[in-house]
Amino acid sequence: MSQVFGRHPHGFYGMVEMLRAWVGGLPLSGEKAGAPVTTDPTSRKIRVAFVQFSGVATAPLTKTPIAGSAIKTPAGVGAAGRLSGDFAELSADLDWHEANFMEKGTYVNLGLQMAASILSSSPTDGRRRAVYVITDGQLQDQAYLEDAKANLDSVGAEVFGIVVRRFASHTKVDTDAEEALKPITSSPHNTHFVNVDMDELASSSGPMTQLCDPLTAFGSSIAMGVAGGKHQPCNAYTKKRDCMSDVGCAWNQLSCGTSPCVIHCNETTCNQDVANDCVNGWSAADKTCYRKEVCGGTAQMTCEGEAGCMWNTTASECGVKPCYHTSEDGCLADIEYVCEWKSSECGVKPCVMLDSQSACENDATCDWNATAPGTKCTPKKCTPHTEKDVCKSDVLCQWEEATSRCVVRPCVEYADDRSCDADKKCHWDTTAAPGSCQLKPCARYENETTCGLDTGCKWDGTEQVCVKKTCHTIPGKCECQQDAACFWSTA
């Protein structure tokens, strides 16, 4: 890390200054290293410790860490390698590390063991514990970290990985570093890992700065909030009803995100946030502001009077109304239901909520297609039209005079020439743009008798379909000349 990193002539010294700026912006607890821990575990105050890892392998690697491959400040210097909430102590720690840059190989085993030992001294009273592993290169002992990772798990540490890259673009060095670092991070790995340039490390939008913000990937795993003091990542909810059942989350038309309420740290600001439905959402038990519960009423009348809610008579409970969206984009992007936007309102498409064949077939307006991908119950085409004019106004339909009903027009459902021409009764018509699939003229005759009444058609017994006569099958000169595609030859 002694090379140039972006605007920093020396990567390690640049990182130390980034860490110093980061610590200066943290809500530190003010407690010195070794002093009794008196802050409330839900106060979101922070203590920090630093461990520098490196080293040289002089023998084949094993699970036993390389001696001397990690260091922390000694007794009498700063926090002496312990957790501290005092900026002066932590700044002295960073000064010492800057003066004692190891500049050797990238071996992290001993460093992780030290981190687990440091965290084990922290009170087990609900405080969150996190370890940031920051590197610029590939770990050289990643295959031997099982014990170190187990020790971190035993003290309840969330492990995050940060690769600091030298350039704006990613290089193979960065990729190799990522592949080695990701497996030692906590699950899910993708939300516990990031690749950044040096200046992003401690920026206002950087991964370390946002560790207390549950709206961010890193913060969602350690910030105080829902479920036993840990806010659950809302992006895990793919369905609106599941998202809205978690009062720490909010649906934003397209996906589930953390409710803005949880960033309020006291009851006063919580109750002042009317726009995000935070009023009266303060929980004294875990000192967290939650969103107002949606569709949580236990009475049918109350439920049906709440916007976006509907009463489930089967389960006798209130739930979120399907396809309740106020924008067309949100409506059409709903990944839980098949919604449609009509007359400036979002609603469930007919039939698609019927997920069994029997239920679908019992509805006269629906068709069941067992081989269809995804939704198998869909609205019948044309047959719901009971009026002739309405039927004829639908381009997919035609009115059947004999039965006085609306039926699907043959061939029109084929969207391309290949599928169209594969049907013996259809042909792809390009006389008008865009091309469309049309019924062949003779194919409208459904039996041999009616087919034979048309002198331009003949019955194909093999295919059981009425087809147009080809020129060589027309026996007479007059009939031949009546077909524009044919001519009579006396040869």
Side-chain angles (χ1 to χ4, degrees):
M1 216 174 199
S2 58
Q3 297 170 298
V4 175
F5 276 69
R7 65 183 180 86
H8 303 276
H10 192 289
F12 183 76
Y13 300 151
M15 184 185 68
V16 169
E17 293 315 305
M18 291 295 107
L19 292 176
R20 197 187 308 275
W22 170 64
V23 170
L26 290 176
L28 296 173
S29 69
E31 298 158 329
K32 291 183 178 293
V37 179
T38 59
T39 53
D40 187 323
T42 64
S43 66
R44 305 189 186 189
K45 298 297 184 180
I46 295 174
R47 295 186 300 153
V48 180
F50 296 104
V51 174
Q52 183 184 164
F53 61 91
S54 187
V56 177
T58 57
L61 292 175
T62 66
K63 290 184 179 180
T64 302
I66 298 173
S69 59
I71 55 176
K72 56 184 181 179
T73 47
V77 177
R82 296 169 295 177
L83 289 168
S84 173
D86 181 77
F87 178 75
E89 286 187 340
L90 295 172
S91 185
D93 278 359
L94 290 170
D95 288 341
W96 184 87
H97 280 289
E98 188 171 20
N100 291 274
F101 175 38
M102 298 177 75
E103 197 176 0
K104 296 177 182 177
T106 311
Y107 298 92
V108 74
N109 195 347
L110 182 59
L112 295 178
Q113 301 280 15
M114 283 186 177
S117 176
I118 291 171
L119 290 174
S120 67
S121 66
S122 182
T124 55
D125 55 1
R127 297 170 194 271
R128 303 296 298 149
R129 298 171 176 180
V131 173
Y132 286 101
V133 182
I134 306 173
T135 181
D136 69 323
Q138 183 178 8
L139 301 181
Q140 295 171 269
D141 56 354
Q142 70 268 28
Y144 304 95
L145 302 178
E146 184 178 342
D147 290 348
K149 186 64 170 65
N151 287 341
L152 287 168
D153 290 341
S154 70
V155 297
E158 291 276 339
V159 181
F160 298 90
I162 302 175
V163 170
V164 180
R165 60 179 184 269
R166 295 184 59 203
F167 308 104
S169 59
H170 291 242
T171 66
K172 188 177 185 305
V173 172
D174 302 323
T175 303
D176 291 342
E178 291 175 13
E179 291 179 355
L181 185 55
K182 268 188 179 180
I184 71 169
T185 62
S186 299
S187 295
H189 298 311
N190 285 340
T191 61
H192 287 73
F193 174 85
V194 71
N195 185 315
V196 298
D197 64 38
M198 183 67 76
D199 288 319
E200 289 179 272
L201 189 62
S203 68
S204 59
S205 59
M208 298 181 68
T209 305
Q210 298 179 342
L211 82 166
C212 288
D213 185 352
L215 294 169
T216 63
F218 280 18
S220 66
S221 296
I222 56 175
M224 305 297 286
V226 185
K230 179 180 176 183
H231 180 72
Q232 302 302 307
C234 297
N235 58 11
Y237 297 124
T238 58
K239 297 181 178 181
K240 180 180 179 181
R241 62 186 175 198
D242 295 334
C243 175
M244 297 305 288
S245 68
D246 187 331
V247 291
C249 303
W251 189 260
N252 63 6
Q253 299 287 1
L254 301 177
S255 61
C256 190
T258 304
S259 166
C261 299
V262 300
I263 65 173
H264 297 301
C265 297
N266 58 68
E267 186 173 5
T268 301
T269 58
C270 178
N271 287 332
Q272 289 173 346
D273 192 342
V274 178
N276 293 305
D277 289 330
C278 307
V279 179
N280 297 324
W282 181 257
S283 171
D286 48 26
K287 293 182 172 59
T288 301
C289 181
Y290 296 129
R291 170 185 50 75
K292 173 188 174 184
E293 187 175 9
V294 175
C295 304
T298 57
Q300 182 173 353
M301 185 176 295
T302 304
C303 174
E304 293 176 343
E306 188 174 349
C309 303
M310 63 180 292
W311 184 256
N312 186 328
T313 53
T314 303
S316 295
E317 64 181 16
C318 190
V320 177
K321 184 183 294 184
C323 296
Y324 182 74
H325 299 280
T326 55
S327 73
E328 184 175 1
D329 288 343
C331 178
L332 299 179
D334 194 312
I335 58 177
E336 181 175 7
Y337 303 104
V338 182
C339 306
E340 63 179 357
W341 186 259
K342 293 179 86 174
S343 303
S344 299
E345 288 187 355
C346 187
V348 181
K349 280 188 177 179
C351 305
V352 297
M353 296 292 287
L354 303 176
D355 54 7
S356 71
Q357 184 173 354
S358 59
C360 182
E361 292 177 343
N362 285 336
D363 190 320
T365 65
C366 303
D367 270 331
W368 181 262
N369 184 352
T371 61
T375 303
K376 301 185 184 302
C377 189
T378 56
K380 283 183 177 178
K381 295 180 177 67
C382 304
T383 51
H385 301 322
T386 57
E387 296 181 12
K388 184 176 181 178
D389 290 342
V390 175
C391 174
K392 293 175 71 174
S393 67
D394 190 327
V395 294
L396 295 178
C397 309
Q398 66 183 24
W399 186 256
E400 194 174 74
E401 295 290 354
T403 60
S404 294
R405 66 190 181 101
C406 191
V407 296
V408 177
R409 181 175 301 186
C411 305
V412 295
E413 291 185 281
Y414 296 121
D416 58 79
D417 57 347
R418 180 174 296 181
S419 59
C420 175
D421 293 336
D423 190 322
K424 299 292 184 182
K425 293 183 178 182
C426 307
H427 76 104
W428 189 253
D429 185 3
T430 58
T431 57
S436 61
C437 192
Q438 300 294 330
L439 183 69
K440 290 177 178 178
C442 294
R444 67 180 184 273
Y445 303 121
E446 297 182 350
N447 55 63
E448 187 174 0
T449 302
T450 56
C451 177
L453 296 175
D454 190 324
T455 57
C457 304
K458 69 171 184 174
W459 186 254
D460 185 333
T462 303
E463 298 290 342
Q464 291 294 298
V465 64
C466 188
V467 297
K468 181 182 178 181
K469 284 181 179 179
T470 53
C471 295
H472 73 275
T473 64
I474 300 176
K477 179 179 179 180
C478 183
E479 292 88 347
C480 176
Q481 292 176 335
Q482 289 175 350
D483 191 324
C486 302
F487 70 94
W488 186 260
S489 173
T490 58

